[in-house]
Amino acid sequence: MSPPLTKICGLSTPDSVGAATKLGADYVGFVHFPKSPRHISLEQAAALAAHRGRAESVVLLVNPDMALVDQALATVQPAILQLHGDETPLFLGEIARRHDVKLWKALPVRTRADLAAANAYRGLVERIIFDAKPPPGAQIPGGNGVRFDWELLRDAKLGFAWGLSGGLDPANVAEALRITRAPLLDISSGIEDAPGQKNVDKMASFLNAVRTS
């Protein structure tokens, strides 16, 4: 079984991007969503992507219109566009027709029935990211440090590429892998000192825990 892939999301400084790459992360993620404490401009994301080394860059948008999608892809030129809102399969299909970019779609999960929503995106996206549903009153759809019941994914035979997000940290990632066997782990708040402030030591601990689990 191949080791799981890792994505460090919500990066906002050259040092944090460089550290993620040096420590072996497979993907580095940049959030363009003004309500998020991890929000950066597209121009900043483009500059940071230059420090990504061997890692692939991911731009995360939430409920964008097509004009913003066009702008983000032209400015940052990421390998992957991750949609983290209520984007429909129809909208993702239109992106795929307009752009040669890999698409990831994040889906909120609380119950087993929520997993079934992924079927609507089959053939449209490269990967589904299962994230916890945000708590009531949350201003952002992800990065809230909340996990869902990982048992929902135990022995899941999904038939498509996917990843696990939501509430991961260096202390619990081994448990997450033991239960879910997730092929990709996507972390943001679990390696921060404060929202948007990445801690390199926590990042190193997380990536080491993934490798040794």
Side-chain angles (χ1 to χ4, degrees), residues 30-111:
F30 308 111
V31 175
H32 184 75
F33 180 55
K35 290 183 179 181
S36 172
R38 303 167 187 91
H39 168 73
I40 58 175
S41 71
L42 296 176
E43 290 74 21
Q44 287 174 301
L48 290 172
H51 299 270
R52 64 181 175 80
R54 56 168 287 281
E56 290 195 291
S57 58
V58 183
V59 166
L60 187 153
L61 303 177
V62 180
N63 294 325
D65 58 19
M66 192 60 71
L68 179 56
V69 169
D70 293 345
Q71 182 184 7
L73 296 180
T75 303
V76 187
Q77 299 182 1
I80 295 154
L81 176 64
Q82 180 173 331
L83 286 306
H84 215 296
D86 302 316
E87 301 88 4
T88 65
L90 185 65
F91 184 72
L92 269 73
E94 181 61 24
I95 296 174
R97 282 189 289 273
R98 291 168 66 98
H99 296 284
D100 182 19
V101 64
K102 298 174 186 175
L103 296 175
W104 291 4
K105 180 71 183 82
L107 293 176
V109 176
R110 185 173 294 130
T111 68

Side-chain angles (χ1 to χ4, degrees), residues 122-182:
R122 282 176 180 267
L124 293 173
V125 301
E126 183 194 53
R127 187 178 299 272
I128 293 288
I129 305 295
F130 292 118
D131 197 358
K133 285 194 174 181
Q139 295 297 303
I140 54 177
N144 293 296
V146 178
R147 59 185 268 187
F148 63 91
D149 182 4
W150 294 331
E151 289 290 341
L152 299 175
L153 288 167
R154 185 187 288 274
D155 299 324
K157 295 177 174 60
L158 298 170
F160 51 79
W162 60 280
L164 178 65
S165 188
L168 293 168
D169 61 41
N172 68 21
V173 68
E175 177 192 7
L177 283 171
R178 178 178 57 79
I179 294 171
T180 70
R181 300 181 182 271

